[in-house]
Amino acid sequence: MNFILNLPMTSTSFFSKNFSSPNQFIGKFNGVELVVKREDLIHPIVSGNKFRKLKYNLLKAQDEGFTKILTFGGAYSNHIAATSEACHILGLESIGIIRGQELGEDLQKTLASNPTLNFAYQKNMELVFVTRKDYRLKEGIPSLKDLFESDLSIYSIPEGGSNALAIKGCTEILTAKDDSFDVICSSAGTGGTVAGLIEASKPHQHVLGFSALKGDFLQNEISRWTSKSNWSLQTDFHFGGYAKVNSELIDFINSFQSKYQIQLDPIYTGKMFYGIFELIDSGFFSKNTRILAVHTGGLQGIEGMNRSLKQKGLQTITLL
Ligand SMILES: *Cc1c(COP(=O)(O)O)cnc(C)c1O
């Protein structure tokens, strides 16, 4: 199946248009209908929820005359790649605070082995590598405080891009044509995307978040952003933790891809779809439930994951 989206690609209009992604029917399993919202088709890099989360932040930064965007991420972060590309398109400068000081010791070596950082670097993002300890301080890193005070042209976006404007952007994932679905599924990292979906959901709908991380901080995190209660989290499909994979997950991603011609990523969407099928098989959803699963994008991360799988002599993710 081919989708042609009429996308705004020029610098002035990249974020100005509101559009809805196509819904793709996957099948009916155990009496449950599964449809995918193809947010991954928005843009190859500023894809899925990263487009939604950056939109109002970058529009505000531009409106208010900021010329530099500073943000935070890990070495394979979809948010870092998306921010570098969006800023490049909009003519904004970008600074990425990257977790892992050792990565900055030999930049050329890091760029040669890390496709995400290499991409960001090619898009003129200034990469600043910090220790894990400093990274935890985020905006509180002492050297950054000085930078913020001396350079008033900097607009800062938190790790993963989640703030109130990001959540506002994520409310635009759902449109009126999605009202007929009973359950809306999304992968969750910081929970900002799930919060936006909850805010946009109708009272008869339930939002089900699939945590890509181990631990149960997400429940509180999402509650900070919404007062609604028509949602819950699945916390058993993280496969050992953030960015951890096993051969069962890789097999699942590859077979899903060949059956439905939809590429999933190993960090977020692959784990969510694996979880959805497990829940359907176990009878978690009642008969005739209609599920809309949001494909949040993130496909840029596959290349980095494949390199690491190959090094370990493990099976890799097949690309469409
Ligand atoms: C960043 C990301 C998420 C997590 O989004 P949050 O709003 O942080 O929960 C989910 N899926 C993909 C593909 C992502 O890149």
Side-chain angles (χ1 to χ4, degrees):
M1 201 180 309
N2 258 318
F3 296 106
I4 297 164
L5 292 183
N6 185 16
L7 291 182
M9 289 302 293
T10 61
S11 65
T12 47
S13 66
F14 186 65
F15 283 110
S16 66
K17 205 160 144 184
N18 224 348
F19 61 90
S20 67
S21 312
N23 290 344
Q24 181 175 347
F25 177 76
I26 294 294
K28 207 160 177 179
F29 312 93
N30 211 3
V32 174
E33 186 179 320
L34 179 59
V35 173
V36 181
K37 182 169 281 292
R38 297 293 308 273
E39 290 275 293
D40 56 312
L41 298 174
I42 291 176
H43 183 275
I45 302 289
V46 196
S47 83
N49 61 353
K50 299 308 184 278
F51 176 93
R52 304 292 182 182
K53 294 169 92 170
L54 285 169
K55 176 179 171 178
Y56 288 107
N57 277 292
L58 296 189
L59 288 176
K60 179 178 186 222
Q62 282 195 309
D63 254 17
E64 298 184 356
F66 292 95
T67 56
K68 280 185 202 150
I69 306 300
L70 180 146
T71 195
F72 304 82
Y76 294 94
S77 163
N78 293 331
H79 171 64
I80 287 291
T83 303
S84 72
E85 171 74 318
C87 288
H88 184 74
I89 292 169
L90 299 183
L92 294 162
E93 291 176 53
S94 63
I95 305 170
I97 308 298
I98 310 297
R99 190 198 303 116
Q101 193 173 37
E102 72 285 356
L103 296 169
E105 279 159 19
D106 186 345
L107 183 62
Q108 289 315 316
K109 189 175 155 220
T110 294
L111 296 179
S113 65
N114 184 315
T116 300
L117 293 179
N118 190 50
F119 177 88
Y121 186 79
Q122 298 302 327
K123 296 293 169 177
N124 295 329
M125 178 176 261
E126 184 186 335
L127 301 173
V128 180
F129 298 91
V130 300
T131 63
R132 274 145 233 274
K133 191 167 154 236
D134 266 359
Y135 187 84
R136 263 179 250 127
L137 300 172
K138 298 285 168 349
E139 275 90 349
I141 299 173
S143 57
L144 281 190
K145 280 186 169 161
D146 295 342
L147 184 64
F148 289 136
E149 274 166 31
S150 66
D151 190 343
L152 298 178
S153 67
I154 295 178
Y155 180 95
S156 175
I157 299 179
E159 180 183 39
S162 284
N163 58 16
L165 289 176
I167 287 159
K168 177 182 170 187
C170 288
T171 64
E172 296 179 351
I173 295 172
L174 295 179
T175 61
K177 73 176 193 295
D178 303 321
D179 287 357
S180 66
F181 289 96
D182 306 301
V183 177
I184 315 291
C185 293
S186 173
S187 175
T190 63
T193 304
V194 166
L197 291 169
I198 295 166
E199 286 301 279
S201 68
K202 294 293 184 312
H204 69 272
Q205 296 180 312
H206 186 86
V207 178
L208 192 56
F210 289 76
S211 184
L213 287 80
K214 205 158 44 180
D216 43 25
F217 63 98
L218 255 188
Q219 189 76 28
N220 285 333
E221 209 46 39
I222 294 170
S223 307
R224 284 174 45 209
W225 297 110
T226 183
S227 54
K228 292 189 184 178
S229 56
N230 59 329
W231 60 279
S232 58
L233 289 173
Q234 287 293 326
T235 54
D236 290 337
F237 300 107
H238 53 68
F239 286 79
Y242 184 70
K244 298 269 195 318
V245 300
N246 63 19
S247 59
E248 205 182 339
L249 179 67
I250 305 295
D251 278 343
F252 171 79
I253 289 170
N254 288 343
S255 91
F256 189 92
Q257 189 251 50
S258 75
K259 269 188 209 145
Y260 309 115
Q261 277 72 57
I262 298 177
Q263 187 82 58
L264 301 178
D265 84 292
I267 319 258
Y268 295 104
T269 55
K271 293 179 180 182
M272 171 187 72
F273 277 101
Y274 184 100
I276 290 173
F277 279 104
E278 284 275 305
L279 292 176
I280 289 175
D281 284 349
S282 71
F284 177 85
F285 301 106
S286 51
K287 287 264 179 292
N288 297 319
T289 297
R290 297 188 66 228
I291 299 176
L292 181 65
V294 180
H295 191 316
T296 41
L299 303 179
Q300 72 83 32
I302 295 176
E303 201 186 331
M305 178 62 78
N306 271 348
R307 286 196 197 186
S308 133
L309 290 170
K310 209 178 262 171
Q311 268 170 12
K312 294 176 193 154
L314 299 172
Q315 188 198 357
T316 57
I317 298 159
T318 318
L319 288 163
L320 259 185

